[in-house]
Amino acid sequence: MLYFTTITRKDIAMMKRTKFAVTMLTALGVACTGIGVAGTAAAQGSKAGKDGIEQCMDTVLKQKPGKVAQLEKKMENGKPTFEFEVTGNDGKNWDVECTAGKVTEIEQNVGSADDPLFKAKMKISEDEAKKIALKAHPGNIEEPTDFEIEPDGKASYEFDIQTEGGKEMKVEVDATSGKIVEANQELWGIGEDESANMGKK
């Protein structure tokens, strides 16, 4: 994961020297404008990119107005999917998934397992959930845990795992049942580490 609060030309030059070069360049129409700033200007006056990144950004910010803190591209059910982490104007943090210009899922990202929405559903501890995720996908957890409220009100832990096979996997574990509900390969990610902003509302 590469972290920026705003993408600049200097950042782009650095990205060109990384293994993300080819896939990152598909996002430059957005990145040059700056992911950390207002939003839909990135798509104005330009056509949607090959995989709909600009169209997705427009659609996401119409549904959840705010600041895009982080953008990731992953494979979900065999389809390339963009996940936007939005710090909403409503004071909440949202994970919004978009495929081919259409929003496919919206989850609320809460500050911790002590959040009332999460705690009401939690029967599996964070440590227990980590063990479940790492048993299925051995490796190292690279980023802080995300605590998510699903569209149906269920709670889940999300872990970013750098696997022993060299892939980066996003693994969600249901906080009630302990079952893995999603496991998708992350292709790349850019933006700020929003975990630092959690719980500051």
Side-chain angles (χ1 to χ4, degrees):
M1 179 73 67
L2 299 179
Y3 294 118
F4 307 98
T5 53
T6 302
I7 305 299
T8 66
R9 291 189 180 277
K10 181 178 179 181
D11 300 324
I12 292 166
M14 186 272 285
M15 285 191 289
K16 287 179 180 179
R17 296 194 294 271
T18 74
K19 65 180 180 180
F20 297 105
V22 175
T23 51
M24 285 295 192
L25 287 173
T26 66
L28 293 186
V30 174
C32 287
T33 311
I35 287 181
V37 297
T40 56
Q44 292 176 355
S46 64
K47 296 180 180 179
K50 183 178 179 181
D51 36 15
I53 188 170
E54 295 94 342
Q55 186 180 357
C56 273
M57 190 168 189
D58 257 353
T59 303
V60 166
L61 290 175
K62 283 179 182 178
Q63 292 202 28
K64 293 295 179 185
K67 168 189 168 184
V68 177
Q70 196 173 104
L71 167 62
E72 298 171 345
K73 185 177 182 180
K74 61 184 181 179
M75 294 301 296
E76 188 163 319
N77 299 320
K79 297 180 180 180
T81 299
F82 295 106
E83 182 175 302
F84 295 80
E85 295 192 10
V86 179
T87 302
N89 292 341
D90 57 4
K92 299 177 181 179
N93 293 284
W94 302 97
D95 286 350
V96 187
E97 295 183 3
C98 182
T99 302
K102 295 182 179 180
V103 169
T104 56
E105 186 175 55
I106 299 176
E107 301 169 325
Q108 184 181 349
N109 204 338
V110 297
S112 74
D114 290 327
D115 184 276
L117 291 174
F118 197 95
K119 196 170 184 177
K121 301 290 185 179
M122 184 181 67
K123 293 184 179 180
I124 302 295
S125 72
E126 182 180 354
D127 286 342
E128 290 171 325
K130 284 181 180 180
K131 290 177 182 178
I132 292 167
L134 289 170
K135 183 177 180 180
H137 300 277
N140 296 308
I141 293 176
E142 297 291 312
E143 297 177 29
T145 304
D146 282 343
F147 304 90
E148 300 185 336
I149 304 300
E150 305 293 330
D152 60 3
K154 292 181 179 179
S156 64
Y157 301 95
E158 183 179 80
F159 304 105
D160 284 75
I161 300 174
Q162 188 69 38
T163 69
E164 293 174 354
K167 294 181 179 180
E168 186 166 353
M169 298 293 295
K170 298 181 74 68
V171 182
E172 289 189 24
V173 178
D174 187 283
T176 302
S177 67
K179 293 181 179 179
I180 292 177
V181 292
E182 281 191 29
N184 302 302
Q185 182 182 357
E186 182 180 320
L187 303 178
W188 53 256
I190 53 176
E192 67 183 29
D193 183 359
E194 76 160 4
S195 63
N197 299 322
M198 290 298 193
K200 293 185 178 180
K201 297 184 284 296

